Amino acid sequence: MRHLFLIAFLTASLGAQETPRQATEARLWLRVPAGQAPLRDLEVSAGNATPAPWEKDPAARVRLTEIIFPVRWWDWRSISISFISPADGSVELVLTGPWEEEKPGQVFRKEVLWDGITAEGTELGNGSFEILTNGKPGAWTAGGRDYPTPSEWPLSGAEALQGSRLASASQDRPLGQTLQVSANRKVTLQLHAKAATLPGFTAPKRLGRDTPAHRALAQIKRGMNLGNCWEAPPPYTWGIRYTVEDIDRIAAGGFDHVRVPVAWTHHLKPVAAGWEISPTLLADLEPVLRRALEKKLHVLLDWHHFDELTDAPAAQRARFVSSWETIARHFKDWPAGLFLELLNEPRDALTTEAANPIYAEAIAAIRRIDPQRILLVSPGNWGDIRELDKLQLPDGDERLVVTVHCYEPFYFTHQGAPWVQLHDLRGIVYPGPPASPLAVPERHRENAGIRDFIGRYNTLPTGQNPCSAAAVKELLDHAKAWAEHFGRPIHLGEFGSHDIGDQASRSRYSEEVRSMAEARGIPWTLWDWKATFGYWDSQKNKPRFPREALLD
């Protein structure tokens, strides 16, 4: 085991004083020793299994499999892993944690709890972790930092899945065990994991499933984003304009709401009383909003692109709150069908944890002006569903909807997109695999993520292919489970695909994602109506792909 532990220890040594951060994924490795054939027929019931992306040597890469799957703090997640060894020998099972760099030379400390590990086709010792030897789980080898005592974080207060004990592992303190395997005999591992909560953590209140937010969201199902217009710097330099004619087409098309992104940062002028909204913006924006409401469309009015806030949350917090006071005051007498979305895709320094207190202050400020308005709030990391477990909303407010975004599989949805440096990645069809293998573009040959994606995209059947519905299904399942557990309704605020992709693939993708969302009771807005991810072709005055992909 010393080779794997050396990898983990060297990684951890980049930063000896890691900042604790809640994990959203569990991570483990399966490694066969040099001279032994790689595992075959490897399957996982959740997450992804890939050859170690950091290994430069192809022979070493195929012998080391990294498995990553989602976890949450409020219940145990299970995963089943099966494989076959072509020869008698051994396999090293290593439980570890996610690796994320906080800053150059320093990584976050993310602890994952493990319990209830069983094996068929091989012998595994102390999978219940009930046996301790010298303060560590018996039958397991612990590497890196000192193993915590039961009275120390993250074990203190943690409830075992079964029995009285459980284990903890992180990227700098893995737990490993060597398993003996027989040639051509299937091995199946069953594991349970959950994220360790941080010191001082307070669980949010669980609400019911019939709050005012639930009832409001039940009125909408399928919507469109009016993208690349009012969120662009004035004078709408991205070349897209929306008028009442667009609203008429959207309403006639069978959609029931629109999401309207606005970069309020560009349209708020400081005045003695706080802020003033640009009359030019309102003259252009409000006729479209009013037409939508007249057409019985709900409107989700969103703040897009507050880059100063995502770069420096503490410095911009007061500005954000006072700006929302101005916006709320302006719209407070508008119909209840107007919802307000606090911020699109928090990111960078505005992590979910950093956003929580800022959201709370902004919500309180809005409630003093407009107590009944439905508000939408997004988790961090670009609205990532995996960040939901870190979101803390005001316990007493039952008029909050949580909005999330999903652009998986990313290399399909963003192929050809220059703003994410993928302008020469093209030709990816949905779902994979393709009829003919796709080559890795020259400029991405050293990109382990793209190289791995294309390798699996070219070879794996659709059910296991990275360019398929599997990743989206897993995320939406988590969103549904979180919403039901905490009583917070979910809206899928953005999904869609760049128009570089072929229209048949875009149609299949859109239909699969919206159908999965609807099956889980999650209303959605497609990104977008007529811009670079557009559904509507303004030149031909018709949809770019069949209407049936979005509407039954």
Side-chain angles (χ1 to χ4, degrees):
M1 294 298 293
R2 63 180 180 273
H3 300 298
L4 286 179
F5 289 146
L6 179 60
I7 293 172
F9 183 77
L10 288 176
T11 302
S13 67
L14 289 173
Q17 301 296 323
E18 298 97 334
T19 301
R21 193 172 193 187
Q22 186 175 299
T24 58
E25 296 173 325
R27 182 170 169 237
L28 62 93
W29 298 331
L30 294 173
R31 178 182 181 272
V32 299
Q36 186 175 314
L39 303 176
R40 62 178 175 85
D41 299 342
L42 195 150
E43 295 184 2
V44 295
S45 63
N48 295 299
T50 61
W54 61 85
E55 283 283 6
K56 296 293 186 181
D57 179 7
R61 187 184 309 137
V62 297
R63 295 197 311 271
L64 178 55
T65 300
E66 180 178 58
I67 299 171
I68 297 176
F69 63 99
V71 293
R72 46 202 185 210
W73 61 264
W74 45 273
D75 75 349
W76 289 92
R77 300 297 304 274
S78 65
I79 183 174
S80 177
I81 304 169
S82 62
F83 58 85
I84 293 175
S85 173
D88 292 344
S90 64
V91 175
E92 296 169 343
L93 167 64
V94 180
L95 311 178
T96 181
W99 187 95
E100 181 186 354
E101 193 172 45
E102 180 179 8
K103 58 185 179 182
Q106 188 166 314
V107 295
F108 287 107
R109 181 180 175 187
K110 297 185 175 185
E111 294 281 351
V112 177
L113 305 177
W114 300 86
D115 204 356
I117 302 178
T118 60
E120 296 180 10
T122 186
E123 296 292 327
L124 182 140
N126 195 25
S128 65
F129 301 102
E130 294 297 309
I131 301 171
L132 289 182
T133 302
N134 297 323
K136 303 176 181 179
W140 297 83
T141 303
R145 69 166 70 237
D146 291 341
Y147 193 79
T149 68
S151 61
E152 293 177 325
W153 181 75
L155 296 180
S156 177
E159 294 185 7
L161 172 70
Q162 55 193 32
S164 60
R165 298 189 189 279
L166 70 167
S168 179
S170 60
Q171 58 85 25
D172 65 341
R173 198 194 59 253
L175 290 173
Q177 187 171 152
T178 300
L179 310 177
Q180 300 303 313
V181 293
S182 301
N184 300 316
R185 184 181 184 186
K186 183 178 181 179
V187 173
T188 301
L189 304 176
Q190 190 76 29
L191 305 95
H192 295 83
K194 69 189 300 189
T197 56
L198 302 185
F201 173 80
T202 300
K205 180 182 178 181
R206 295 176 62 183
L207 306 181
R209 300 185 187 179
D210 187 30
T211 66
H214 286 92
R215 294 192 289 274
L217 205 61
Q219 299 175 50
I220 62 176
K221 187 176 182 179
R222 300 163 176 169
M224 280 286 169
N225 275 280
L226 306 188
N228 287 26
C229 178
W230 292 293
E231 80 268 31
Y236 316 122
T237 51
W238 295 347
I240 302 294
R241 299 298 303 273
Y242 291 99
T243 67
V244 294
E245 285 76 20
D246 291 296
I247 296 298
D248 292 346
R249 289 192 184 99
I250 291 170
F255 301 97
D256 55 34
H257 67 291
V258 291
R259 180 171 178 260
V260 183
V262 177
W264 293 102
T265 316
H266 301 308
H267 303 286
L268 290 166
K269 181 177 70 174
V271 294
W275 301 94
E276 178 183 82
I277 303 175
S278 164
T280 302
L281 170 72
L282 294 177
D284 193 47
L285 174 67
E286 289 192 341
V288 175
L289 303 185
R290 293 188 187 280
R291 184 60 155 254
L293 294 168
E294 289 169 4
K295 289 288 184 177
K296 308 303 181 185
L297 300 179
H298 281 65
V299 175
L300 282 54
L301 188 57
D302 154 60
W303 189 328
H304 240 68
H305 299 315
F306 193 172
D307 295 340
E308 296 92 336
L309 178 67
T310 57
D311 288 342
Q316 296 294 323
R317 176 173 178 166
R319 179 185 175 191
F320 179 68
V321 172
S322 61
S323 296
W324 265 116
E325 288 177 326
T326 298
I327 300 166
R329 191 172 293 111
H330 180 83
F331 288 105
K332 74 181 182 66
D333 294 324
W334 280 54
L338 174 71
F339 301 171
L340 301 178
E341 182 178 335
L342 295 192
L343 186 67
N344 176 71
E345 296 183 338
R347 63 188 188 277
D348 300 334
L350 191 63
T351 63
T352 308
E353 298 93 332
N356 285 330
I358 298 176
Y359 282 156
E361 187 176 351
I363 291 168
I366 294 170
R367 289 292 178 239
R368 289 191 291 269
I369 297 163
D370 194 349
Q372 306 301 314
R373 184 72 56 188
I374 296 297
L375 306 180
L376 288 88
V377 178
S378 170
N381 195 29
W382 306 85
D384 190 348
I385 291 171
R386 288 161 289 209
E387 290 283 307
L388 286 171
D389 284 353
K390 302 175 184 177
L391 194 61
Q392 294 268 0
L393 300 176
D395 285 340
D397 197 320
E398 296 186 345
R399 287 177 167 78
L400 301 178
V401 171
V402 176
T403 181
V404 294
H405 294 180
C406 182
Y407 283 104
E408 298 295 340
F410 190 81
Y411 293 127
F412 166 73
T413 63
H414 281 68
Q415 62 182 307
W419 61 92
V420 287
Q421 292 74 52
L422 294 178
H423 51 276
D424 56 351
L425 180 65
R426 301 180 179 220
I428 299 174
V429 300
Y430 182 94
S436 300
L438 181 72
V440 178
E442 180 65 33
R443 73 187 300 264
H444 296 304
R445 293 283 172 84
E446 299 303 315
N447 186 312
I450 293 178
R451 187 178 63 231
D452 170 70
F453 173 86
I454 292 179
R456 293 186 294 130
Y457 164 72
N458 284 336
T459 57
L460 293 180
T462 298
Q464 302 171 34
N465 200 282
C467 191
S468 72
V472 179
K473 178 183 180 299
E474 191 167 74
L475 290 169
L476 293 180
D477 281 344
H478 177 61
K480 179 177 184 288
W482 183 90
E484 291 179 346
H485 184 83
F486 291 104
R488 296 290 189 183
I490 291 280
H491 180 264
L492 179 58
E494 288 185 23
F495 74 99
S497 57
H498 194 231
D499 61 7
I500 289 295
D502 69 276
Q503 299 305 321
S505 289
R506 296 185 69 219
S507 176
R508 289 190 293 268
Y509 163 80
S510 300
E511 183 171 12
E512 284 204 334
V513 175
R514 70 92 176 171
S515 296
M516 287 189 289
E518 290 172 8
R520 289 156 181 79
I522 301 174
W524 51 265
T525 44
L526 182 75
W527 188 275
D528 51 30
W529 175 243
K530 65 178 186 182
T532 53
F533 280 54
Y535 164 74
W536 188 261
D537 188 326
S538 298
Q539 300 299 317
K540 298 179 179 179
N541 212 30
K542 67 176 186 178
R544 289 174 173 167
F545 51 82
R547 177 179 181 274
E548 291 73 23
L550 296 177
L551 300 163
D552 296 329

